[in-house]
Amino acid sequence: MSPSLHKRTVFFSKPKLLDNAMSGIIMRQDIASFQKALLALQKEGYSFVTLKSDILELPQDRVKGFTSITDARNYVDYNSSPSKSYLIYSIATLKIELQQALAPNKDNLLQNITERLNAYQKEENRSRENEPPR
């Protein structure tokens, strides 16, 4: 879905919030609940959802299903206010983004493994240096 189809809301950064195209409005601990809600909406025949940006609400209360992008846009236009904003997503796109958020960051994973191996090697070298000669 193109960014022009929905308004991006900017939130301050918190470590437990997802930092991706969802603008950090889904907490990591809520991903499974969102996935379950999206699957239920998709089974009911919905293709699009509005996602309320209030992270304090339960995931199932934050998503509302729509069969067309036009219906979702009309809902957002009618219900948005300075204190209440929404994003519009296709369910397929949002499911992919949530799945990607669960995947480990390969760059960080590789760096972490390399650092552990280097630390292990240094410890091995130190223990060899402290061994008495044979």
Side-chain angles (χ1 to χ4, degrees):
M1 176 177 287
S2 81
S4 63
L5 290 178
H6 50 54
K7 178 175 70 172
R8 297 280 186 194
T9 308
V10 178
F11 292 85
F12 51 90
S13 177
K14 290 185 178 178
K16 290 184 179 180
L17 297 180
L18 297 178
D19 182 22
N20 60 15
M22 288 177 274
S23 303
I25 64 168
I26 293 179
M27 296 184 74
R28 289 187 185 280
Q29 67 197 32
D30 294 334
I31 290 176
S33 298
F34 273 108
Q35 288 174 321
K36 187 176 177 181
L38 292 173
L39 184 61
L41 289 170
Q42 204 168 30
K43 283 182 179 178
E44 292 177 28
Y46 297 113
S47 300
F48 297 91
V49 292
T50 57
L51 178 60
K52 195 185 300 184
S53 59
D54 183 359
I55 63 170
L56 300 178
E57 284 194 37
L58 294 173
Q60 60 271 21
D61 296 335
R62 293 179 58 201
V63 293
K64 183 168 176 58
F66 298 90
T67 55
S68 74
I69 188 77
T70 304
D71 291 342
R73 169 56 58 200
N74 289 340
Y75 177 84
V76 168
D77 289 345
Y78 183 77
N79 290 287
S80 291
S81 69
S83 63
K84 187 169 39 171
S85 62
Y86 299 84
L87 295 177
I88 298 172
Y89 274 94
S90 74
I91 291 177
T93 300
L94 189 51
K95 284 172 65 177
I96 289 168
E97 289 193 23
L98 290 173
Q99 189 61 40
Q100 287 174 344
L102 289 174
N105 183 329
K106 291 180 183 173
D107 293 335
N108 287 345
L109 183 61
L110 183 59
Q111 181 180 357
N112 191 359
I113 291 170
T114 303
E115 288 172 359
R116 285 183 178 184
L117 287 173
N118 287 340
Y120 176 77
Q121 187 63 45
K122 286 179 184 177
E123 188 60 37
E124 277 290 310
N125 290 342
R126 268 191 239 131
S127 65
R128 285 187 186 147
E129 290 172 1
N130 292 336
E131 284 182 3
R134 294 183 182 192

